[in-house]
Amino acid sequence: MTQNEDLRENMLRQVLEHLSQQSESQYLKILTSLAEVATTNGHKLLSLSSNYDAQMKSLLRIVRIFCHVFRIGPSSPSNGIDMGYNGNKTPRSQVFKPLELLWHSLDEWLVLIATELMKNKKNSTDITSILLKQKGQDKDAASIPPFEPPRSGSCENLSTGTGESKPDALARKQEASADCQDVISMTANRLSAVIQAFYMCCSCQMPQGMTSPRFIEFVCKHDEVLKCFVNRNPKIIFDHFHFLLECPELMSRFMHIIKAQPFKDRCEWFYEHLHSGQPDSDMVHRPVNENDILLVHRDSIFRSSCEVVSKANCAKLKQGIAVRFHGEEGMGQGVVREWFDILSNEIVNPDYALFTQSADGTTFQPNSNSYVNPDHLNYFRFAGQILGLALNHRQLVNIYFTRSFYKHILGIPVNYQDVASIDPEYAKNLQWILDNDISDLGLELTFSVETDVFGAMEEVPLKPGGGSILVTQNNKAEYVQLVTELRMTRAIQPQINAFLQGFHMFIPPSLIQLFDEYELELLLSGMPEIDVSDWIKNTEYTSGYEREDPVIQWFWEVVEDITQEERVLLLQFVTGSSRVPHGGFANIMGGSGLQNFTIAAVPYTPNLLPTSSTCINMLKLPEYPSKEILKDRLLVALHCGSYGYTMA
């Protein structure tokens, strides 16, 4: 029945759930049978002669049913003690015994691949490059043999040798099949599906929210091979490696691979996983239940929206939003867009004292004095819900935040450069401390600073006993970081926490970490329009450059040629902001007031990348010998993200 695709999985679950409740013996018999079927299917999946798609779906379907029945059993454990994978030999743990054969085969193949990787790694610093073999030329390849796991204790490897071991023969034949890809290309998806099944079985034996110690040990043991799988096909994370999205401690091992993927691909994965398990999108064509409509008042849109959203069903809001203004008949996506647009402006309305403008006047930061509004934390939670809902439904909001606040949403630590958004002069002072030897200057700084606490200036220690700890040349970096955290995080921690509580109701932290702070801004607020002619008109040149110089001519030709997204990256790279202020480039702010976009000459050396000083909006552009080299180096710098930033 479990392998009959005509039978709905949900119906099978209900039938087996009912039968399992009849008696403990029947419950154990059903589970053991499901485990045996899953093991048979898993071994079929690890055979290249089987249909991958059908066998993969069948295995995961059976394992999902198995795990569901296991959890709802007559005496299903909830404390994590009666765990088969924790070494107990109880009757309940015995139902997993048939699956151990499958896990053993999985482990052997991963060890075999790891051995091959280690052997070849001596000849290459890039572990993925050793997997990319030349395509075979044999067009008369024999049919693909079954993908049999090696025998226990086998020391054969996957390379061509003198013996006739099965893995050797397999490797040779695979080179001429499936576009002549290597063994890992042929088996990665199959092995990954079995890894997913293993994770599901480990998880169903653990309390909710806990990761199985056995599975963590498994990932650590096979770290190199799993990273190779992800390197070759990052989408495996969303297809099979769900454990990475659910376990931050494991995801951190793979994050550098994920962040290297194109922004567009990560956006597609984000929404694909965000909406997985939800009803089909055809629900928008169904009649809207009157009780699910968000009825708001235009004359009190912020408060009335806060009230109805807080009472609404979160799961239904994830599926779709229907908004109607009191006394009006209009509904549909146009009304929803208008609702988000108006709320965007209301969230930063100074009357609510929730957010305060940054130094450049175009971005907003949580207001440390928002406590003057007694409902401020409820309103911050509501603001988080609105931004989470907007992102969930791909609606843009008409609001931009400081770079540090985007970092708070993503869980990225702030640094001293972020202080420039609220106090450019103070940021320069911190930069000066880092750049100069303060040993004999007599500054007499301590790890304690004077700051505004509920309207009164008070001395606040940066760490325990900070008032008696002097800032020295050796500990000044720690001082700068702690000052930054005090001003940018500690001062608004309750507001940040309330906002994130609402935001995470609709956007899981594990998914949003796929992006950096610049990309999150684009996701929430969209791509700003950039007028290149206005940009050229309001640009200054220094250190030897003039408007007529060939390098400058090439630079603007490149800016005209690149995409709008890349122009935004360039603007971010040089100014720290993706937005052009109202009135155009003539009104761009620097650290000390109005400061035009500036291009400075830098002597050229091979492979030198452009850099920037964001406080004075300066692009330091090497004197490249050709337009082609200029474009190549500029794009490399832009796509390296924030790593090229410096402070003036």
Side-chain angles (χ1 to χ4, degrees), residues 302 305-314 317 343 347 354-355 366 370 374-389 405 492-507:
F302 187 85
S305 295
C306 182
E307 184 178 344
V308 297
V309 168
S310 64
K311 294 179 180 178
N313 182 293
C314 183
L317 288 178
L343 278 180
I347 285 172
L354 300 180
F355 290 88
S370 64
D375 290 324
H376 73 126
L377 294 183
N378 285 333
Y379 286 160
F380 268 108
R381 180 174 177 270
F382 169 63
Q385 288 177 300
I386 292 304
L387 263 72
L389 266 176
F405 188 57
I492 54 172
Q493 194 66 63
Q495 294 90 329
I496 293 170
N497 292 344
F499 180 93
L500 291 178
Q501 184 184 9
F503 187 78
H504 290 156
M505 290 174 67
F506 301 99
I507 306 295

Side-chain angles (χ1 to χ4, degrees), residues 508-519:
S510 59
L511 278 182
I512 200 63
Q513 68 177 320
L514 299 177
F515 308 103
D516 63 27
E517 62 270 29
Y518 304 99
E519 294 164 339

